[in-house]
Amino acid sequence: MNTTVLEVHNLTTEFRTKAGPVIAVNDVSFKLLRGEILGLVGESGSGKSQTGYSILNLVDSPGRVVSGKVILRGQDLSGYSESQWRHIRGKRIAMIFQDPMLTLNPVLRVDTQMIETVQAHQKVSRSQARQAAREALVKVGIASPDERLEAYPHQFSGGMRQRVAIAIALLHEPEVIIADEPTTALDVTIQEQILAEMQGLCRNSGTAMVWITHDLSVIAGLADSVAVMYAGRIVEYGQVQDVISRPEHPYTVGLINSAPSRNERGVPIHQIPGNTPHLAQLPPGCPFNLRCSKAKQECFRMPPLSPRESGRQLRCFFPYEYRKKEAT
């Protein structure tokens, strides 16, 4: 289980706008082991989704990956042509989108879509492909798979459509899955079921996964490690229980304290002061410095992502010193 499956090195993605170039993903690096689940966490606009798209080379114009490497089991995917990427996507690296209708064609039956997906990467008969599709639906807890295969996407509930999208991602037992907030629009019960199923599938199959979300409570029960992003950069990275129980970056502390469960009944929910800065108008130095109570003059230069105890990495000159009474 300690085999490194995916390595991302200094990944940077830029968008050209009328206001000038905007760096949506800025020098992002991490690695993923076999069977590991990494939570990529941050507010809207933090760059977490664009990181996922950049890994799969799915950034649309006017955006482009300007530097960095994506290495899959020792194979550098940088500079791959679109035809080469088509052999990688879906087979070795798959993506689950927040909206399942980005995956599913509304005018085609589910079996047609899943069979085409299987045959795009495997030379098998239609009946073999259909059997693979049936088994994938069973894996994600869909009852009566033969009946569901003959249905159209509009005949499914939102949760069921998302399960089908997950089943499609699992068809080729990929080495890596990028999941972009796939349960955000679902009710809590369905969300918990899907999270449990995805966690079990990763443990049993050895598939590694990047789970992109704004919800730290989801990551706490799902992931092995977590990378917290702010303004396109990773600001804290480490084992999930270490980061959740002893957050060191002021932004991470703010995210955790903003959770409703951390606030007493009748007391206003804690909020991080100010607003996320526009990526085209970032302040000098640490982009969190205008919202941070710990900011000092040193924070007007960019802190490096430095190693800490227990393998943690932190981008902060004045980290939060954990005290139990302050974290409760």
Side-chain angles (χ1 to χ4, degrees):
M1 296 295 285
N2 291 326
T3 304
T4 299
V5 176
L6 180 72
E7 296 174 77
V8 177
H9 295 290
N10 310 110
L11 189 64
T12 300
T13 299
E14 179 183 88
F15 285 81
R16 296 199 173 276
T17 69
K18 292 181 180 179
V22 171
I23 300 178
V25 180
N26 199 333
D27 196 30
V28 168
S29 301
F30 60 83
K31 71 175 182 178
L32 207 54
L33 303 179
R34 184 175 184 270
E36 181 184 5
I37 301 176
L38 168 69
L40 204 56
V41 182
E43 295 173 277
S44 296
S46 63
K48 56 190 188 298
S49 292
Q50 288 301 330
T51 298
Y53 296 146
S54 300
I55 291 170
L56 280 160
N57 198 37
L58 288 174
V59 180
D60 292 328
S61 180
R64 65 191 183 99
V65 177
V66 295
S67 63
K69 291 184 178 182
V70 176
I71 300 173
L72 180 65
R73 283 196 179 275
Q75 182 179 2
D76 188 356
L77 307 183
S78 309
Y80 265 36
S81 66
E82 184 56 33
S83 62
Q84 289 175 305
W85 268 107
R86 279 197 293 270
H87 290 290
I88 296 288
R89 291 194 206 104
K91 184 177 183 181
R92 299 184 65 191
I93 307 180
M95 187 157 191
I96 305 169
F97 296 93
Q98 182 173 350
D99 182 358
M101 294 310 287
L102 292 175
T103 301
L104 302 174
N105 189 324
V107 300
L108 295 178
R109 289 189 348 183
V110 169
D111 59 354
T112 300
Q113 299 183 58
M114 296 187 75
I115 287 168
E116 286 181 354
T117 301
V118 174
Q119 292 183 321
H121 295 288
Q122 297 181 42
K123 293 182 179 180
V124 296
S125 66
R126 185 175 177 83
S127 61
Q128 289 174 313
R130 195 178 195 281
Q131 179 60 27
R134 185 185 187 281
E135 291 171 359
L137 293 184
V138 172
K139 278 185 181 179
V140 297
I142 293 180
S144 305
D146 294 307
E147 179 182 342
R148 297 298 187 179
L149 282 170
E150 296 177 0
Y152 289 86
H154 74 269
Q155 295 175 286
F156 291 83
S157 66
M160 195 68 75
R161 281 197 292 267
Q162 194 59 278
R163 287 174 187 262
V164 173
I166 293 170
I168 290 174
L170 295 171
L171 277 171
H172 298 287
E173 298 184 353
E175 294 158 80
V176 179
I177 292 176
I178 310 292
D180 186 15
E181 303 198 64
T183 61
T184 298
L186 306 180
D187 64 66
V188 175
T189 303
I190 299 299
Q191 184 183 71
E192 288 180 354
Q193 290 176 359
I194 291 178
L195 291 173
E197 287 163 4
M198 292 303 296
Q199 191 174 47
L201 286 167
C202 288
R203 297 290 181 270
N204 295 331
S205 67
T207 295
M209 184 165 65
V210 178
W211 190 279
I212 298 167
T213 183
H214 64 276
D215 191 345
L216 269 168
S217 63
V218 169
I219 292 303
L222 173 71
D224 303 295
S225 55
V226 60
V228 180
M229 292 192 70
Y230 186 80
R233 294 180 183 269
I234 291 178
V235 296
E236 187 162 8
Y237 176 55
Q239 293 300 302
V240 68
Q241 293 305 323
D242 289 342
V243 173
I244 296 295
S245 63
R246 294 184 295 129
E248 295 184 354
H249 196 284
Y251 177 62
T252 311
V253 174
L255 283 181
I256 292 173
N257 288 339
S258 298
S261 60
R262 307 284 295 190
N263 291 263
E264 295 180 9
R265 185 181 180 90
V267 176
I269 293 177
H270 173 83
Q271 296 181 343
I272 300 173
N275 298 308
T276 305
H278 193 285
L279 291 176
Q281 300 173 336
L282 292 176
C286 174
F288 191 61
N289 58 31
L290 298 181
R291 307 175 71 188
C292 181
S293 62
K294 286 180 167 285
K296 295 180 175 61
Q297 188 62 38
E298 291 92 329
C299 300
F300 287 90
R301 59 187 177 89
M302 180 62 69
L305 188 63
S306 304
R308 301 279 287 178
E309 295 179 1
S310 304
R312 189 183 306 200
Q313 297 179 48
L314 190 70
R315 191 186 299 278
C316 186
F317 290 124
F318 303 101
Y320 178 79
E321 297 298 335
Y322 178 77
R323 294 182 180 86
K324 188 173 182 181
K325 64 179 182 180
E326 294 181 9
T328 56

